[in-house]
Amino acid sequence: MTVYAGGSEPDPRFSLANERTFLAWIRTSLALLAGAAAVHAIDLTVSDLVQRSASALLALSGLVCAVHAWHGWVRTERAMRQGQPLPSNAMGVLVVVAVAAVSIVMIVVGSRG
């Protein structure tokens, strides 16, 4: 089902703001994937397991952000077109937790080496 099938056309400024939010989440996803590639590629002073785990967590977070970008855009666009309240967004908290977890592990484990 397409978001354009029901409701009325919202103010273009709101649709464009929703699109900018979508693109911001895509940029965040790309940054997390770049971080995952960097953690994987650079020779760090941590064990291989820690390095791979940190890289995997960052890559998984990037994937989740990309999926959320699309899902969030659809939910928001549909809500605007149907005159409903905008949906909540808890994804930012999850991204912060994932990045903080990787950072803490890299600091703690890296300082031992």
Side-chain angles (χ1 to χ4, degrees), residues 46-54:
V46 297
S47 72
D48 283 345
L49 176 63
V50 170
Q51 191 166 350
R52 286 186 183 134
S53 298

Side-chain angles (χ1 to χ4, degrees), residues 2-88:
T2 178
V3 297
Y4 303 112
S8 60
E9 186 73 23
D11 186 323
R13 294 173 292 176
F14 301 139
S15 288
L16 293 172
N18 189 29
E19 184 177 336
R20 285 190 300 274
T21 302
F22 166 78
L23 293 172
W25 278 107
I26 293 297
R27 283 190 304 271
T28 301
S29 174
L30 290 171
L32 289 165
L33 292 173
V39 167
H40 179 73
I42 296 172
D43 188 24
L44 300 172
T45 59
V46 297
S47 72
D48 283 345
L49 176 63
V50 170
Q51 191 166 350
R52 286 186 183 134
S53 298
S55 180
L57 181 58
L58 289 171
L60 181 61
S61 298
L63 173 65
V64 169
C65 275
V67 170
H68 169 72
W70 178 253
H71 184 66
W73 178 86
V74 167
R75 289 176 53 213
T76 301
E77 189 70 24
R78 189 172 288 136
M80 287 190 303
R81 288 176 173 280
Q82 295 174 354
Q84 298 174 347
L86 296 180
S88 63

